[in-house]
Amino acid sequence: MAEPAGKTYGARALSVSERAGLALDLCDSEAPLKVVLRGREGRHGAARVEDHVWRGPLTDEHLVGLGDDISVCRMPVVFCQLASSWDTIELAELACEMAGAYALTPWSNEGSAGDVEPLASLADLQGYAKAARALRVRGAVRALSALALAVERSNSPRETSVAIFFLQSRARGGAGLVGFAMNKRIDLPDRLAEAFGQKTIVPDFSWENGTVVEYDSTQEHLSPAARARDEAKRRMYQDEGMDCLTLTNGILRSNALLDHFVSDLERSLGLSRRPPSARMAQSRRDLRERLFGTESQEAALKELSGGALGS
């Protein structure tokens, strides 16, 4: 039986625009589809497609195939691509998410989901960024600067913000407190294990000298009873050559309380530093607001009136 004139039956090659539509559906994204090219000669010039020539390394090992001749760049490539337009703090947040144990879920009430597998290791991100820097790829230097503010195993966006604050230099508004691990399992001394009813803990932040910081997202301010419990707990740690500090939302939303917390943490780590200059103090206020939000009205009024830190 002859085919009707002008009709073609069976599979046919998809147009570039149609393949772009498939890729957008697979990635749950909106047009245009941003396509990475190894050179200018491969430009598509098609509807729903936005071509980008990438000067960084781009071999099969840097891609993940999705089928139908569609591939996406792996996270180290994506990270360096975004470094051409994102700033250092944004990139550090992204690196912590990629190498962390959470994923952003803006459609949910919580805003993120925990206990997920990392998308990349910091070593992979750093390795690719160094290769891109060697090729003088735009943004590679910024990518490496951002990775210096990132840590693996963060379990929430707020933990990530605290980590960035700890790692950022004092001159740029941070605490300049490096050398910590996040969510690392620690064996407790027998006395503490007996008191707490558990042999190990997984603190949010821990240093090799035995200092740990636990972020309590449920508390805005420490009540007198909670403060007494924390002090008793801290004394038990100190008796065993360790130390435990509790960080709350109330501290993060107050310039004065955060300064006090940093000083306390510096003492726990055995650090002796000069007081921050006026410029450093302003940089810290700016960074605190960016990472943790506008200072609470209560904290601001208390600071203006010279109120006691713990009241």
Side-chain angles (χ1 to χ4, degrees):
M1 180 177 178
E3 295 180 353
K7 299 287 186 180
T8 301
Y9 291 87
R12 66 174 178 83
L14 298 178
S15 68
V16 173
S17 294
E18 288 171 327
R19 290 169 62 193
L22 286 176
L24 290 167
D25 289 340
L26 284 170
C27 298
D28 193 24
S29 300
E30 296 181 356
L33 178 70
K34 297 183 178 181
V35 177
V36 179
L37 307 172
R38 293 184 175 92
R40 296 181 180 276
E41 64 279 358
R43 291 182 179 274
H44 297 93
R48 308 182 76 187
V49 174
E50 185 176 300
D51 293 323
H52 293 269
V53 177
W54 180 241
R55 293 179 55 199
L58 195 61
T59 65
D60 289 345
E61 67 178 299
H62 300 123
L63 303 172
V64 177
L66 301 180
D68 294 320
D69 293 326
I70 298 170
S71 298
V72 296
C73 294
R74 292 187 183 274
M75 291 301 104
V77 185
V78 173
F79 185 77
C80 278
Q81 290 169 347
L82 291 173
S84 65
S85 56
W86 289 21
D87 68 25
T88 304
I89 298 299
E90 290 174 315
L91 290 168
E93 292 171 337
L94 177 62
C96 286
E97 181 188 353
M98 286 180 170
Y102 69 96
L104 297 182
T105 56
W107 57 86
S108 68
N109 292 331
E110 294 78 13
S112 66
D115 299 320
V116 302
E117 290 296 318
L119 297 174
S121 69
L122 287 185
D124 288 341
L125 295 175
Q126 290 166 345
Y128 188 87
K130 288 178 180 178
R133 181 182 61 182
L135 295 173
R136 298 185 178 181
V137 173
R138 180 187 173 197
V141 172
R142 185 184 300 154
L144 288 168
S145 296
L147 290 169
L149 303 179
V151 187
E152 294 182 324
R153 293 193 296 272
S154 175
N155 205 37
S156 71
R158 183 47 62 94
E159 285 186 12
T160 286
S161 295
V162 174
I164 292 171
F165 173 75
F166 283 164
L167 289 171
Q168 183 63 280
S169 68
R170 297 177 79 209
R172 294 181 179 273
L177 299 173
V178 300
F180 61 86
M182 297 188 69
N183 298 298
K184 178 183 177 182
R185 189 173 299 278
I186 296 176
D187 293 325
L188 289 173
D190 292 341
R191 184 181 174 191
L192 287 180
E194 183 178 354
F196 298 154
Q198 58 190 69
K199 294 183 178 180
T200 62
I201 58 170
V202 185
D204 299 317
F205 304 88
S206 59
W207 282 261
E208 290 297 328
N209 76 329
T211 296
V212 301
V213 171
E214 295 180 345
Y215 168 63
D216 190 338
S217 61
T218 65
Q219 296 192 69
E220 180 69 18
H221 301 288
L222 286 176
S223 65
R227 191 177 296 114
R229 287 195 302 271
D230 281 348
E231 286 301 319
K233 180 179 180 181
R234 187 173 185 183
R235 284 193 296 271
M236 292 176 64
Y237 271 97
Q238 290 172 336
D239 288 343
E240 298 297 322
M242 301 177 68
D243 198 5
C244 179
L245 287 75
T246 300
L247 187 59
T248 67
N249 281 328
I251 293 173
L252 296 177
R253 296 180 66 225
S254 164
N255 292 321
L257 289 176
L258 185 58
D259 286 343
H260 181 70
F261 179 87
V262 170
S263 296
D264 199 9
L265 182 52
E266 288 173 341
R267 285 191 293 271
S268 180
L269 295 172
L271 299 176
S272 179
R273 292 171 163 174
R274 293 180 180 179
S277 66
R279 180 175 294 181
M280 286 180 179
Q282 182 59 53
S283 294
R284 179 173 293 178
R285 287 192 288 271
D286 293 341
L287 182 62
R288 189 214 60 76
E289 182 168 347
R290 173 164 184 178
L291 293 174
F292 309 119
T294 304
E295 185 175 35
S296 68
Q297 184 176 11
E298 177 187 356
L301 291 174
K302 189 174 294 185
E303 185 172 2
L304 287 172
S305 62
L309 286 170
S311 61

